[in-house]
Amino acid sequence: MNNRSAVHRFIYESRFAVAASCLGYLVFSLILFKVTGLPNVDADTLGFASRDHLLGMILLMCLLPTWLIGCMFVTHRNSFTIAQRLDPGLALKVTAVPASYLWIGILGGFFYALAFNVPITQFGLVLAGNGPMIGIFIGQILVWIFVGCMLAVRLFVGNQFYKFGKTVPINIFEQSALESFARVGLLDVAIVVGCIAISTVQSIDAQFRMENYLTAFLVAVPATLALLIRPMWSVHVRLVQRRRELQAEVTEQIQQAPESSDLESIVALNRLLERRDRVKALHTWPLDFSIWSRLIFYGLIPPLAWIAAAMVEII
């Protein structure tokens, strides 16, 4: 992608890109649902338990893609900034997302929605020309297309950091420079968590339906692990290998150390034993305390959100 192109400036430099894109999709979705007559339809005719149940579905179809669109700008800009700090060549690769990845995301999201998220009973109403059901059908398809596109693009970016991690200089005793590889996926984890939290609007009618969250859960868990781990996996593998080398070196030195009880030999052996313990304690994931604490915090949000949705029904 040419750094001087209008698309590049819009994605990475425009102050209004996020607001304009999110507002644009919101307006589009509201027009779509209005034209198809979804706000005025009788919920029972579409198989919804109540008016609030239908409203929860409409909110999900409006809010989730809007969230993903805004987050795509934020996380891609974040990755570009991190890549620029690491290597200008990596920054260029991060921006050069192939069209094939977008098509994979679009088609993957489309077929996943058809297979797991669109009930078979909806197809008959859609083919019969039922306007409100057509609106729901298009809205659900678009939700998963945006999910698919985000995953495809972010996995492409993560793969660029993975490749760069194979050659970046590492120092196992000072890993602060490697934390960038973890921060790339950290923001993606926050985005997935936000999607899960938004999905709880489906319980606006005070009814917790596990099937509404199961399809999202099947995507969210592996996606979270892949988006977080892939960018730093090559660095992790190299750190593991380096620690093994150091352990082998110090073990060999300990075995060759003299067993005499003179002070010099004792001091030298103690230093080797201390070094062995120090090497054994070295961590091989470029995660500092702040990153770990955020991951734990993000990990608590989905279950708390689902518990809150379930508690609404009980209360």
Side-chain angles (χ1 to χ4, degrees):
M1 184 181 296
N2 190 332
N3 284 344
R4 297 180 180 178
S5 70
V7 174
H8 181 95
R9 291 196 299 271
F10 181 75
I11 294 175
Y12 298 101
E13 300 173 13
S14 174
R15 294 186 299 171
F16 308 105
V18 176
S21 300
C22 292
L23 182 60
Y25 184 82
L26 271 178
V27 172
F28 163 79
S29 60
L30 292 175
I31 292 175
L32 171 66
F33 298 144
K34 181 65 176 178
V35 169
T36 56
L38 190 56
N40 303 319
V41 73
D42 186 356
D44 293 336
T45 62
L46 299 180
F48 289 90
S50 66
R51 182 73 181 172
D52 287 340
H53 186 195
L54 175 60
L55 178 60
M57 176 62 71
I58 295 174
L59 286 175
L60 179 69
M61 293 186 295
C62 290
L63 296 178
L64 193 54
T66 303
W67 166 259
L68 289 172
I69 290 171
C71 289
M72 275 295 294
F73 282 95
V74 174
T75 188
H76 216 53
R77 289 177 177 182
N78 177 67
S79 298
F80 180 66
T81 301
I82 292 175
Q84 282 184 312
R85 290 200 298 262
L86 291 173
D87 182 74
L90 175 61
L92 292 176
K93 292 178 180 178
V94 164
T95 63
V97 180
S100 59
Y101 274 78
L102 294 176
W103 280 112
I104 290 172
I106 292 171
L107 295 176
F110 178 79
F111 287 112
Y112 185 86
L114 291 181
F116 299 103
N117 201 243
V118 178
I120 297 178
T121 55
Q122 287 189 10
F123 289 105
L125 293 174
V126 170
L127 294 176
N130 185 294
M133 186 55 73
I134 292 175
I136 292 177
F137 181 80
I138 295 175
Q140 289 179 316
I141 294 294
L142 287 176
V143 166
W144 286 104
I145 283 178
F146 278 109
V147 170
C149 286
M150 181 201 160
L151 291 179
V153 172
R154 295 310 301 162
L155 287 174
F156 168 80
V157 172
N159 200 44
Q160 302 313 304
F161 279 89
Y162 166 81
K163 292 177 181 178
F164 183 73
K166 293 181 178 181
T167 58
V168 68
I170 63 171
N171 183 342
I172 195 170
F173 295 102
E174 176 50 58
Q175 300 183 25
S176 58
L178 303 176
E179 292 171 4
S180 297
F181 290 87
R183 296 189 182 278
V184 172
L186 183 63
L187 186 54
D188 293 333
V189 172
I191 294 171
V192 175
V193 170
C195 290
I196 296 174
I198 290 173
S199 69
T200 58
V201 298
Q202 297 174 95
S203 298
I204 197 173
D205 63 338
Q207 296 291 324
F208 182 79
R209 301 173 182 85
M210 179 56 71
E211 63 273 12
N212 289 345
Y213 302 95
L214 184 58
T215 52
F217 182 79
L218 293 176
V219 173
V221 173
T224 299
L225 294 176
L227 294 173
L228 176 65
I229 295 176
R230 182 60 175 176
M232 60 178 171
W233 181 253
S234 57
V235 171
H236 164 68
V237 171
R238 292 177 64 194
L239 290 173
V240 169
Q241 182 180 358
R242 181 56 181 157
R243 187 174 67 177
R244 288 174 180 171
E245 293 173 353
L246 292 174
Q247 286 178 322
E249 290 176 5
V250 73
T251 299
E252 182 179 358
Q253 291 173 352
I254 290 174
Q255 292 173 346
Q256 296 175 355
E259 298 181 357
S260 56
S261 57
D262 60 279
L263 181 59
E264 184 177 350
S265 298
I266 293 175
V267 171
L269 181 58
N270 284 336
R271 288 178 178 175
L272 289 174
L273 293 174
E274 290 176 0
R275 180 172 175 80
R276 182 188 62 183
D277 294 339
R278 175 72 178 89
V279 169
K280 187 182 297 185
L282 290 171
H283 58 88
T284 57
W285 292 99
L287 304 169
D288 62 6
F289 177 77
S290 65
I291 296 177
W292 274 114
S293 60
R294 289 185 185 182
L295 286 174
I296 294 173
F297 174 72
Y298 294 157
L300 292 175
I301 293 177
L304 290 176
W306 286 341
I307 290 172
M311 289 298 293
V312 169
E313 180 180 2
I314 297 175
I315 296 174

